[in-house]
Amino acid sequence: MDQGIEVQALPSVAAGRARGGRATQEDAFVCLHDPISDARLLVLADGMGGDGAGELASAGVVEVARRLWRQGLWRDQPGPLFLESLCQAAHAELRRRGERLAQAAPHSTVVALLIHGSRVCWAHVGDSRLYRFQGRRCLGRTEDHSVAQMKVARGELAAEAMGDDADQHRLLRGLGGPQPPQVEHGLAVLRPGQSFVLCSDGAWERLSTDELGRHARRRDLRRALRDALGQAVERGGADGDNVSLIFARIGWVQWWRARAAGSRAQSAGRPPVRPGDVGIRQA
């Protein structure tokens, strides 16, 4: 099978996608880096809607992310506010794109991570996920906005069985619908030894939490990313979904730079981030 794997890399970041068993690629991602502040914005979207609308939708999310990054709003806004603005602007863009389509409606999930100064924050809508690790330990993951996740919350389904559940692809939230999306947020202090995984459902349905963590800890992130994508595609087989993944790791050098940036921000009168996490499901 032609896996159609594409991989990109930034300092301490590797990202990629694969078509899997699909004829088209409806996942999209973007990894943006500011070398002066060492800030990073990672965004992953999984489009849907039929008749090419999925590709149009995920591309729209990425386009909005690039535009807002170039505008530099992330420099002065609190991270969660910037990510909220990104999600709402992406939703509005998908609504505009849908007006030009007669037989399809562009919808998309989104998961985004902003690393800026001494803080890290994330946001998501739909069933694209963020996992957070400290060394070998998974601190948690985002909760899907899906019927399958609701069944897990009710005790009707084991979390490990979500990928095979008939209701997995029935989403309760997404970008591009008739109502503005309710965005889920998380926030934490940056620490050395952390690693993050952003992924579409085509990845987490085929790779376990432990496997994702092991890949994200490997020294060669680019090679790890290729191996993880290939593994997910192989397990998905001829009917497998598109697969997209982003690995990000916080080393000591980046952590010291983040501390210095945080100290400068406090000197400029910006409030420091409070310890703790919001909006993440404990593994």
Side-chain angles (χ1 to χ4, degrees):
M1 181 192 305
D2 178 11
Q3 296 179 338
I5 293 178
E6 308 167 43
V7 176
Q8 298 179 8
L10 290 175
S12 303
V13 174
R17 62 181 185 172
R19 287 197 313 274
R22 300 292 176 85
T24 59
Q25 175 59 266
E26 296 185 331
D27 289 358
F29 66 87
V30 65
C31 302
L32 302 166
H33 178 228
D34 178 61
I36 297 175
S37 65
D38 206 31
R40 292 166 172 79
L41 174 65
L42 315 177
V43 179
L44 185 152
D46 182 357
M48 64 201 90
D51 295 331
E55 297 169 78
L56 190 69
S58 60
V61 175
V62 165
E63 180 180 308
V64 168
R66 289 184 183 276
R67 182 173 72 240
L68 295 185
W69 183 259
R70 288 194 300 267
Q71 292 174 1
L73 301 178
W74 54 273
R75 299 180 188 276
D76 300 312
Q77 288 183 345
L81 177 58
F82 172 75
L83 294 181
E84 178 74 26
S85 299
L86 190 160
C87 293
Q88 297 298 338
H91 169 75
E93 175 65 23
L94 268 55
R95 295 287 293 170
R96 285 192 293 271
R97 293 185 177 208
E99 292 173 356
R100 303 195 295 267
L101 301 177
Q103 302 297 327
H107 298 275
S108 181
T109 69
V110 65
V111 58
L113 178 72
L114 177 65
I115 302 172
H116 185 204
S118 60
R119 65 184 68 189
V120 56
C121 55
W122 56 89
H124 86 289
V125 181
D127 64 351
S128 292
R129 292 182 177 179
L130 179 138
Y131 292 79
R132 189 162 65 91
F133 299 88
Q134 183 69 50
R136 296 176 179 273
R137 185 164 66 99
C138 180
L139 301 179
R141 69 158 174 85
T142 52
E143 287 194 348
D144 303 340
H145 302 135
S146 67
V147 173
Q149 183 72 70
M150 183 180 295
K151 290 165 75 171
V152 171
R154 292 174 176 171
E156 301 170 3
L157 179 70
E160 296 77 12
M162 288 179 63
D164 297 320
D165 188 73
D167 290 325
Q168 167 50 35
H169 298 288
R170 292 178 59 192
L171 298 186
L172 303 175
R173 302 185 202 176
L175 304 181
Q179 300 297 326
Q182 182 180 351
V183 183
E184 206 83 30
H185 290 273
L187 176 69
V189 173
L190 202 64
R191 292 187 174 91
Q194 286 179 334
S195 55
F196 302 89
V197 177
L198 288 72
C199 58
S200 65
D201 61 336
W204 64 255
E205 287 177 359
R206 304 302 177 186
L207 300 172
S208 69
T209 299
D210 287 344
E211 288 173 325
L212 290 170
R214 285 198 299 272
H215 283 301
R217 290 193 303 272
R218 287 171 56 183
R219 183 181 298 275
D220 188 341
L221 274 186
R222 191 183 183 101
R223 178 61 182 271
L225 198 286
R226 279 192 172 277
D227 289 347
L229 288 172
Q231 193 174 28
V233 169
E234 183 177 357
R235 291 177 181 176
D239 298 322
D241 198 358
N242 298 151
V243 180
S244 53
L245 277 164
I246 303 176
F247 293 155
R249 190 162 55 219
I250 308 301
W252 283 96
V253 173
Q254 185 177 359
W255 181 69
W256 278 110
R257 289 176 180 171
R259 284 196 63 182
S263 297
R264 289 194 297 269
Q266 291 186 42
S267 299
R270 299 176 190 168
V273 65
R274 296 181 179 178
D277 307 325
V278 179
I280 194 163
R281 178 185 181 274
Q282 295 301 310

